Amino acid sequence: MVGRKLVVLWAGNPWDGLPATDHHLARALAAFVDVIWVDPPLSVLNTRRVVPGLDQVADGLQVLRVSTVPGASRSGLRQVAEASQRAALAAVSKGRRPWASIAASPRVSLPSRGAGVRVLHVTDDWVAGAPMMGLDAGWIEQVLRRNVRTAEVVSAVSVDLAQLLQRMNPRHLVQIIPNAATVPDEVPTVQRERVAVLVGQLNERLDVDLLDAIVDAGVPLRILGPRTEREPEQKARLDALLARPEVDWRGPVAHAEVVGLLASSAVGITPYAVNDFNRASFPLKTLEYLALGLPAVSTRLDSLDWLGTDLVDVADSPSDFAELVRRRAEEPRDEALEARRRAFADEHSWRARAEQLVAVIEQRSPGVPV
């Protein structure tokens, strides 16, 4: 890895988990700099499943997995976990100084020194989403406020998040670096089926009324992703939905299979509930649908206003949502329109987002030796 600048990315998700914003950003950054991805701390009780250490996972991208005490998210043990991570990072860096350190996790405190340009990249309203993640909202807010003060660059995926962070520290000009799309070199040539597809985690972010309305309108559902809900009411709603014969729930699906399953669907959906967490979000799935040429239907989100496109249908009620999905699912394929969707997604590629972030860091960098 010697010869390029080094970026340390403190991730909010394990590398081997469901690909999220931090995964895509890390892969895109590796085209410009060397990246060490630091996994969330792993309990020593789980090291049979994942072996701690440093692994090369792609050109310019390594993953550092660190074992620590069980219950590392609990008060009193958090500092022990962070110390374990920092010691392991120092050992594998072998004296190489980071050009930048990016915190993309609600649980990581940015280092006070020796980290290069300190960057806070906020991917969601972590405080509002803390109960859904099983985290203490008070602690998450404390970490966030500390990082906003410590960081030399603060960025967020949406306008709402940027405004929230700006209020925490008016001295910062918060950069908006939204989520993006992974645009395939070639879309699989497959027969489209008359199904609506949903990709991602099944949890409290989803409005199950919208999903039920789609099935009631006669459009089958294909759902790709794990269940991560915590609230009993949402669990019961999802149990009932997934038991319906018109719903094909595949659970977690490997990325290589996801592309084919999306490409063979008729319409992609983003059926989010209206709440503070979702209002501040920038869903990955919507752009991913467009990247494969699919029509997309979403609930009303500020991120769609930022995109400023007529390529995503927006609905405000279950009946309207279901009707839009039904209409799109029954339309004949339009190659010109599909090409337009893919071209739009290409304008919002992860490479473009990585270039933007690198440029922002360079403005704050005094010139760190590689």
Side-chain angles (χ1 to χ4, degrees), residues 13-23 199-201 224-226 228 252-253 258:
N13 303 283
W15 180 259
D16 298 319
L18 193 70
T21 296
D22 42 10
H23 291 78
V199 63
Q201 298 183 55
L224 316 175
T228 59
V253 177
V258 169

Side-chain angles (χ1 to χ4, degrees), residues 190-200 202 211 214-215 219-225 241-242 244-251 253 257-269 271 289 294 325:
V190 292
Q191 185 71 31
R192 289 263 169 93
E193 302 173 42
R194 186 181 172 276
V195 297
V197 66
L198 168 64
V199 63
L202 280 67
L211 299 172
I214 292 170
V215 178
V219 181
L221 275 177
R222 173 180 290 156
I223 302 178
L224 316 175
L241 172 74
L242 299 179
R244 298 184 67 165
E246 306 91 345
V247 177
D248 175 20
W249 175 48
R250 303 292 181 93
V253 177
E257 296 178 56
V258 169
V259 173
L261 290 168
L262 289 180
S264 63
S265 303
V267 54
I269 58 173
Y289 299 145
L294 291 181
V325 171

Side-chain angles (χ1 to χ4, degrees), residues 2 6 8 36 54 64 86-98:
V2 176
L6 172 64
V8 176
I36 294 180
L54 186 68
L64 177 63
R86 298 193 195 287
L89 176 63
V92 300
S93 299
K94 300 176 182 176
R96 192 176 178 204
R97 293 174 58 193

Side-chain angles (χ1 to χ4, degrees), residues 51-134:
V51 178
L54 186 68
D55 291 327
Q56 189 90 30
V57 294
D59 289 344
L61 176 57
Q62 293 178 302
V63 172
L64 177 63
R65 300 179 180 89
V66 180
S67 62
T68 187
V69 293
S73 63
R74 296 203 301 265
S75 178
L77 298 177
R78 298 164 189 155
Q79 292 80 4
V80 175
E82 282 200 13
S84 300
Q85 287 181 300
R86 298 193 195 287
L89 176 63
V92 300
S93 299
K94 300 176 182 176
R96 192 176 178 204
R97 293 174 58 193
W99 177 58
S101 293
I102 303 172
S105 166
R107 294 171 285 193
V108 171
S109 296
L110 279 165
S112 58
R113 62 181 187 275
V117 178
R118 290 164 294 182
V119 181
L120 173 65
H121 183 58
V122 181
T123 59
D124 284 296
D125 187 338
W126 291 329
V127 177
M132 188 170 62
M133 296 183 284

Side-chain angles (χ1 to χ4, degrees), residues 3 25 31 36 39-40 47 53 63 67 79 133 135 137 156 158 166 200 207 216 239 275 291 298 303 326 334 366:
L25 188 58
I36 294 180
D39 247 16
T47 53
V63 172
S67 62
Q79 292 80 4
M133 296 183 284
L135 300 173
S158 71
Q166 196 80 58
D207 185 338
D216 290 341
D239 284 343
N275 56 41
S298 174
S303 58
R326 185 195 63 77
D334 183 331

